[in-house]
């Protein structure tokens, strides 16, 4: 038996009434647009809210940075398994893979890796030394010949290698794309993603947080973004959303009140009424 039966009935009746109301009647689109803009233009509101935002951010960051336990010990076993399973099942978007791997930065990086690999192979193979060693010369003459021959050979070879890689890097990237998107390699990449996830879960939580400078930039960017429209043509999108769903009843989108949440709201309402603060002073 509830201690606040009248408040319970009031909350239940209000909830039932609200759930029948169309969204556009509860919050007209023009009113919502005005409220959003009003909030963005209220300098006093944002000036007052910034210190609170910074304190909340600092409190959360401090708690995370002091957490010594690995992430696996912080999350439940079920959450960890869902995380790993999700990494295994996620499939790369082919268009995104192609756009990323075909970027100039990736082609340049691949060219550099190939160039240093070829150069290292040639250095260790020592083709110049093997050729000079077959010449019928000894002593200083052999050393002089080898120096000139090596300088000339490697200089020309470097130009040829770079010229070849300038044309080959694009084809090498295409081979990489084929490899990444190949059906026969899906299992291997899925296992690799799971292994990365296991590594992340094994690390202490505090090591997963970037430097204070990086989190400071993220904090300032987030704060700055709060006042700006998150999407282009925001009002047009709101208009479309109201056109599509404005006539929907609130019940189509709102979570139903549980018995416990109804009791909590009723208890709060009963305390407020008992306080007498709701009475208007004449």
């Amino acid at each position: 038996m509830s201690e606040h039966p009248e408040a319970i009935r009031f909350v239940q009746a209000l909830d039932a009434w609200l759930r029948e109301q169309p969204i556009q009647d509860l919050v007209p689109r023009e009113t919502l647009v005005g409220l959003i803009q009003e909030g963005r233009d209220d300098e006093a509101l944002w000036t007052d809210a910034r210190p609170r935002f910074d304190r909340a951010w600092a409190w959360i960051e401090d708690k995370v940075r002091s957490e010594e336990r690995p992430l696996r010990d912080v999350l439940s076993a079920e959450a960890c398994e869902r995380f790993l399973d999700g990494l295994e099942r996620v499939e790369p978007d082919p268009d995104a893979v192609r756009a990323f791997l075909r970027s100039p930065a990736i082609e340049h990086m691949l060219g550099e890796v190939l160039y240093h690999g070829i150069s290292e192979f040639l250095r260790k193979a020592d083709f110049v030394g093997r050729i000079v060693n077959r010449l019928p010369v000894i002593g200083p003459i052999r050393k002089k010949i080898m120096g000139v021959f090596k300088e000339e050979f490697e200089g020309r070879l470097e130009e040829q290698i770079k010229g070849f890689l300038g044309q080959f890097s694009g084809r090498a990237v295409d081979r990489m794309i084929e490899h990444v998107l190949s059906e026969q390699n899906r299992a291997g990449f899925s296992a690799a993603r799971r292994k990365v996830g296991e590594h992340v879960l094994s690390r202490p939580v505090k090591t997963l947080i970037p430097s204070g400078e990086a989190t400071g930039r993220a904090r300032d960017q987030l704060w700055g973004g709060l006042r700006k429209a998150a999407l282009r043509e925001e009002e047009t999108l709101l208009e479309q959303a109201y056109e599509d769903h404005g006539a929907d009843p609130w019940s189509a989108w709102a979570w139903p009140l549980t018995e416990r949440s109804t009791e909590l709201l009723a208890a709060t309402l009963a305390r407020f009424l008992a306080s007498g603060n709701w009475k208007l002073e004449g």
Side-chain angles (χ1 to χ4, degrees), residues 31-44:
T31 302
L32 178 59
V33 171
L35 287 172
I36 293 173
Q37 193 58 48
E38 183 179 296
R40 289 180 180 146
D41 294 340
D42 192 338
E43 293 293 339

Side-chain angles (χ1 to χ4, degrees), residues 132-187:
V132 174
N133 285 338
R134 295 180 180 180
L135 298 177
V137 292
I138 59 175
I141 297 177
R142 176 183 178 280
K143 193 172 184 180
K144 180 70 173 177
I145 292 174
M146 186 171 179
V148 173
F149 193 13
K150 189 171 184 179
E151 181 179 350
E152 181 69 13
F153 179 81
E154 291 184 350
R156 292 182 179 274
L157 193 61
E158 179 180 355
E159 294 179 3
Q160 292 178 354
I161 292 174
K162 288 185 175 180
F164 164 74
L165 291 178
Q167 300 173 353
F168 179 73
S169 293
R171 295 199 297 273
V173 167
D174 287 339
R175 294 292 301 274
M176 286 177 60
I177 293 173
E178 292 177 8
H179 185 80
V180 170
L181 299 178
S182 171
E183 185 69 26
Q184 65 185 20
N185 294 323
R186 291 178 65 181

Side-chain angles (χ1 to χ4, degrees), residues 36-47 221-230:
I36 293 173
Q37 193 58 48
E38 183 179 296
R40 289 180 180 146
D41 294 340
D42 192 338
E43 293 293 339
L45 172 67
W46 290 96
T47 300
Q221 289 171 358
L222 174 60
W223 176 256
L226 291 175
R227 294 191 68 171
K228 299 176 182 177

Side-chain angles (χ1 to χ4, degrees), residues 7-196:
I8 288 284
R9 287 195 295 272
F10 178 86
V11 171
Q12 290 175 335
L14 177 60
D15 178 54
W17 180 83
L18 286 172
R19 296 179 70 78
E20 294 177 356
Q21 306 306 304
I23 294 174
Q24 61 192 10
D25 290 350
L26 290 174
V27 187
R29 184 184 64 83
E30 295 78 7
T31 302
L32 178 59
V33 171
L35 287 172
I36 293 173
Q37 193 58 48
E38 183 179 296
R40 289 180 180 146
D41 294 340
D42 192 338
E43 293 293 339
L45 172 67
W46 290 96
T47 300
D48 180 63
R50 181 62 196 257
R52 303 180 188 184
F53 173 83
D54 288 345
R55 284 196 300 271
W57 182 284
W59 183 85
I60 294 173
E61 185 175 339
D62 181 65
K63 291 296 182 184
V64 174
R65 289 193 184 281
S66 62
E67 181 54 72
E68 301 278 353
R69 293 176 295 171
L71 184 60
R72 184 182 298 278
D73 291 351
V74 175
L75 301 176
S76 68
E78 294 78 7
C80 291
E81 195 56 36
R82 286 197 299 271
F83 170 67
L84 294 175
D85 287 346
L87 287 178
E88 278 190 312
R89 288 195 299 268
V90 67
E91 293 294 337
D93 178 73
D95 291 337
V97 170
R98 293 187 183 97
F100 175 73
L101 292 181
R102 283 177 177 153
S103 64
I106 296 298
E107 288 195 10
H108 176 73
M109 178 188 70
L110 184 59
E112 286 291 312
V113 171
L114 291 173
Y115 172 74
H116 288 294
I118 294 172
S119 299
E120 183 68 9
F121 166 74
L122 294 175
R123 185 184 67 79
K124 291 185 176 180
D126 193 20
F127 293 116
V128 175
R130 293 182 183 183
I131 294 172
V132 174
N133 285 338
R134 295 180 180 180
L135 298 177
V137 292
I138 59 175
I141 297 177
R142 176 183 178 280
K143 193 172 184 180
K144 180 70 173 177
I145 292 174
M146 186 171 179
V148 173
F149 193 13
K150 189 171 184 179
E151 181 179 350
E152 181 69 13
F153 179 81
E154 291 184 350
R156 292 182 179 274
L157 193 61
E158 179 180 355
E159 294 179 3
Q160 292 178 354
I161 292 174
K162 288 185 175 180
F164 164 74
L165 291 178
Q167 300 173 353
F168 179 73
S169 293
R171 295 199 297 273
V173 167
D174 287 339
R175 294 292 301 274
M176 286 177 60
I177 293 173
E178 292 177 8
H179 185 80
V180 170
L181 299 178
S182 171
E183 185 69 26
Q184 65 185 20
N185 294 323
R186 291 178 65 181
F189 280 109
S190 293
R193 289 192 297 270
R194 186 179 182 92
K195 190 171 183 178
V196 171

Side-chain angles (χ1 to χ4, degrees), residues 252-269:
W253 298 91
W255 290 97
L257 286 179
T258 64
E259 182 178 347
R260 181 168 296 180
S261 59
T262 300
E263 177 64 35
L264 176 62
L265 289 173
T268 303
L269 176 62

